Amino acid sequence: TQSIARVQDYPGGFAMIYGSIGRMVLFGTNQLDELLKNVEKEAMKGMAIVINTSKKIISQADFMEGRWGNFSDDQSQTSLSEFNVNLLSSFGEATPRILCLSESCVLERDPNTYNVCTMQPLTDIWALIRHGEDPQMFSIEYNSMVKSTYTCQDRDALLASILDGARGNKNRDICVQAMKTNMGARIGPLYLPVEEVCSDLTLILLSSKHFCFI
């Protein structure tokens, strides 16, 4: 979470602003002041991060207009291509979705209402995973540590479209993999480049006679 904004025309309302795009989610409570105070306190105490309550008070209209943060404009949400997919949960349950590609984002839409369910920038994609056990299954890994798994009859055409769109948005790190990323083998998070000193330490470790592969 980046910050919190009070919503003036919603009783006990506040919007949490989070993620790289500044996505907003609206909540309501009858203990607003106490909640906000505890959020700031526990964030600093438990994770050493600062979550501030914005001095600017927004309205419900402001929330509806800007709930997708930096990508709330029509251009970011206008589909250039669409694919029918099934979103797979961690329990293997499949939910029908329309996976849309705009000029700057990947969007999931509800096929019944066409409402946007999720949105991620093309620049935040880390890897595309082609699962070998199922010719229709693929995953999208984002550098924010979010991962979504789908099935699609036109999997390869969809992955090629995402790859072209991401590279068109100057995402040079995106790649296609046969296996999901092993985060335990990384020194830092995906959104941070590995520093030179970390590379040197890794090479020293690999050359050490005490190092062995398991």
Side-chain angles (χ1 to χ4, degrees):
T1 302
Q2 298 175 350
S3 62
I4 299 173
R6 294 174 183 263
V7 182
Q8 62 182 1
D9 50 354
Y10 188 87
F14 65 98
M16 301 195 74
I17 305 169
Y18 71 95
S20 61
I21 68 173
R23 170 87 161 94
M24 292 195 294
V25 180
L26 180 63
F27 298 92
T29 177
N30 56 5
Q31 298 175 306
L32 181 57
D33 292 333
E34 182 180 353
L35 176 63
L36 296 183
K37 181 179 178 180
N38 286 332
V39 167
E40 295 178 8
K41 177 182 176 181
E42 295 301 326
M44 177 57 68
K45 179 181 177 181
M47 302 185 67
I49 60 175
V50 178
I51 299 179
N52 293 320
T53 301
S54 175
K55 294 181 180 180
K56 180 182 178 182
I57 300 177
I58 65 174
S59 64
Q60 286 193 64
D62 294 331
F63 169 78
M64 294 301 297
E65 184 178 347
R67 66 188 184 277
W68 291 107
N70 301 332
F71 298 97
S72 298
D73 58 286
D74 291 338
Q75 186 175 3
S76 298
Q77 300 184 26
T78 301
S79 300
L80 300 179
S81 57
E82 298 182 349
F83 297 85
N84 292 317
V85 302
N86 285 311
L87 173 65
L88 302 181
S89 70
S90 56
F91 301 103
E93 299 176 351
T95 303
R97 288 284 187 263
I98 301 175
L99 199 65
C100 309
L101 302 179
S102 69
E103 287 190 1
S104 55
C105 297
V106 178
L107 304 93
E108 282 183 23
R109 291 186 180 273
D110 186 327
N112 297 319
T113 63
Y114 206 64
N115 291 333
V116 178
C117 301
T118 64
M119 180 190 299
Q120 297 283 353
L122 288 165
T123 53
D124 284 1
I125 299 178
W126 169 259
L128 304 173
I129 314 300
R130 296 176 76 251
H131 293 268
E133 66 273 18
D134 187 335
Q136 295 187 4
M137 186 182 297
F138 69 97
S139 297
I140 304 176
E141 293 182 343
Y142 300 93
N143 58 22
S144 58
M145 311 300 290
V146 173
K147 185 182 78 169
S148 300
T149 301
Y150 310 87
T151 58
C152 179
Q153 294 182 351
D154 300 320
R155 179 184 72 174
D156 290 342
L158 171 54
L159 294 180
S161 298
I162 295 175
L163 195 64
D164 288 344
R167 287 177 174 168
N169 279 266
K170 299 181 180 180
N171 182 348
R172 307 302 181 191
D173 295 327
I174 187 174
C175 60
V176 180
Q177 302 176 177
M179 299 175 62
K180 62 183 180 181
T181 303
N182 180 9
M183 290 306 302
R186 286 188 58 85
I187 294 177
L190 296 176
Y191 57 84
L192 289 178
V194 178
E195 297 179 359
E196 186 176 350
V197 63
C198 295
S199 302
D200 293 341
L201 290 174
T202 303
L203 292 174
I204 293 172
L205 176 63
L206 292 173
S207 62
S208 172
K209 62 180 180 180
H210 301 294
F211 179 83
C212 64
F213 291 96
I214 299 176

